[in-house]
Amino acid sequence: MRNRSFVLLGMAAGVALALAATDPQIVFTGANARPAPAAKKYQLLEFFVGAFERVRTHYVEKPDDTKLVYSAINGMLSSLENSHFMDADAFRRHVCTGPGCPLPYGGVGVEITMVDGLAQVVSTLDDSPAAKARVMARDVIAEIDNEPIQNVPVYQVYDKLKGERGKEIRLKIMRPGRDKPVEIAFARDVVTMRPVRARTDSGDIGYIRIGQFHEATTEELKKALSDIAVQIEPERLKGFVLDLRNNPGGLLNQAVSVADAFLETGEIVSIRGRKTSANEHFLAKPGDLANGKPIIVVINAGSASAAEIVAGALKDNHRATVIGSRSFGKGSVSTVFSIGPGRGALVLTAGHYVTPSGRLITGNGVLPDIEALQNVPEELKDDRKSEDKEHATFQSYIPPDPKADRALTLAYELLRGTKAAH
């Protein structure tokens, strides 16, 4: 009962604090001095102050005022999509660059998002400890080192995942489609990332793997395309495989420039905000670095955010065939608002990504043109269908042996013409 009361207090208090922050002209002069909307805001603030004072006065132990207010803010943001609060220390780490910033830490290499107070894995980074331990997209982390993390702010979850390099971490995971939790233990390590990897296959196909979108991704993609052009003569080149599986996303500008690298014209993505003035449209500029060669994009349930932007842009502009399984469905634009020196910041969802065909990425993901499912080991299976009418399967497993990779095999067959799209 006590926990429930604090949740209710947090939600109500959070609303009141948000109103005060967004309407600084509110003053405590009484409801009659304001128009109806402002009066309602004042009443909400009064409600919070009353609840706050009663907690401070009557709770069995003297509470910490700062913790009460932080809990109130977190209570408010927990009900909002991909929004959270960072205290002053977390915000300082977030914006810190250059000398004096924390040194590289041990981590696990997962991207997470909060869904109804639960830490859900978006995907694992290539070659990271979590990937090697077979943590999967859409897993829900219930405990870290035997400590429950439900309703814990996302930045605190990340802090708990970090630790000394080589130190063991224990995760209790709720895996979709399984009745019992899965317990995984492995060692933390420094996580490094190569955003682009490329190779040629049998002298006629260029394979490009993009694992994440950071500031060097587009330049590394251009280098990969140049290297492939040196190795495969134009008349022998059948096309390209662009592998975006288990790519958690990254920078918007890099997603736009990567998609633009293969498009001559057309819309790449748009941002739909609360106000039409906040809406944006990103358009392709002339110049296809693949010179019109066929492209197969491979996605799965671990493809999210920026990866979904690229897949959606190439699919909707009919520049590529998309195969694999339905993507994660995480397409929101986050904005960081400082709430004052030494007080931290709010991370708020300010808009949604929309593909050129008008499909909202958040909650929907990108559907493949051709579904290509893997033979998943029994302990990793998540065979549930999505809840919408399109009945797409979520799947993030990639076989370690490329020869057993059904999606990759199909991509090669389509490019070589040994199998027709249907």
Side-chain angles (χ1 to χ4, degrees), residues 312-343:
L314 297 183
K315 175 185 177 179
D316 290 355
N317 283 287
H318 308 290
R319 180 61 185 91
T321 299
V322 178
I323 71 171
S325 59
R326 176 181 168 180
S327 65
F328 188 90
K330 180 179 180 286
S332 58
V333 184
S334 295
T335 303
V336 179
F337 297 92
S338 172
I339 54 177
R343 294 185 178 180

Side-chain angles (χ1 to χ4, degrees), residues 123-355:
S123 65
T124 58
L125 300 180
D126 288 352
D127 301 323
S128 66
K132 294 174 183 176
R134 290 187 163 184
V135 177
M136 308 294 290
R138 298 176 60 79
D139 281 349
V140 171
I141 303 176
E143 295 182 6
I144 300 176
D145 291 331
N146 300 316
E147 182 180 350
I149 59 168
Q150 185 174 358
N151 294 319
V152 172
V154 66
Y155 77 90
Q156 290 185 12
V157 176
Y158 277 120
D159 283 345
K160 293 178 186 297
L161 292 171
K162 298 173 186 176
E164 183 181 345
R165 181 180 184 181
K167 185 177 181 181
E168 184 182 74
I169 183 171
R170 302 186 67 85
L171 303 180
K172 179 176 283 188
I173 285 172
M174 305 303 296
R175 180 158 289 159
R178 301 186 67 86
D179 297 330
K180 296 182 180 180
V182 178
E183 297 195 11
I184 302 175
F186 55 94
R188 295 176 173 91
D189 200 353
V190 174
V191 178
T192 58
M193 188 67 198
R194 285 177 56 193
V196 179
R197 301 181 186 188
R199 64 174 185 264
T200 58
D201 189 275
S202 300
D204 63 350
I205 290 177
Y207 170 88
I208 300 173
R209 161 73 181 159
I210 300 182
Q212 195 176 25
F213 290 87
H214 71 22
E215 56 274 359
T217 298
T218 303
E219 289 305 313
E220 292 199 18
L221 170 64
K222 292 177 180 178
K223 182 179 184 301
L225 289 168
S226 297
D227 291 344
I228 292 171
V230 170
Q231 298 175 57
I232 305 177
E233 296 175 355
E235 58 272 16
R236 293 195 61 199
L237 181 61
K238 301 292 186 183
F240 297 92
V241 173
L242 185 62
D243 192 344
L244 301 178
R245 292 175 293 180
N246 292 340
N247 180 322
L251 300 176
L252 170 62
N253 68 330
Q254 292 296 304
V256 170
S257 58
V258 165
D260 192 13
F262 300 108
L263 292 171
E264 290 282 2
T265 186
E267 183 173 272
I268 294 172
V269 69
S270 62
I271 295 176
R272 185 182 299 166
R274 180 175 176 179
K275 298 179 180 179
T276 55
S277 60
N279 294 347
E280 291 186 74
H281 295 266
F282 297 86
L283 305 177
K285 299 182 292 292
D288 177 1
L289 297 184
N291 296 315
K293 291 289 185 178
I295 299 172
I296 303 290
V297 175
V298 192
I299 61 172
N300 66 4
S303 306
S305 189
E308 294 175 289
I309 290 173
V310 173
L314 297 183
K315 175 185 177 179
D316 290 355
N317 283 287
H318 308 290
R319 180 61 185 91
T321 299
V322 178
I323 71 171
S325 59
R326 176 181 168 180
S327 65
F328 188 90
K330 180 179 180 286
S332 58
V333 184
S334 295
T335 303
V336 179
F337 297 92
S338 172
I339 54 177
R343 294 185 178 180
L346 304 178
V347 180
L348 300 178
T349 294
H352 288 122
Y353 296 132
V354 181
T355 70

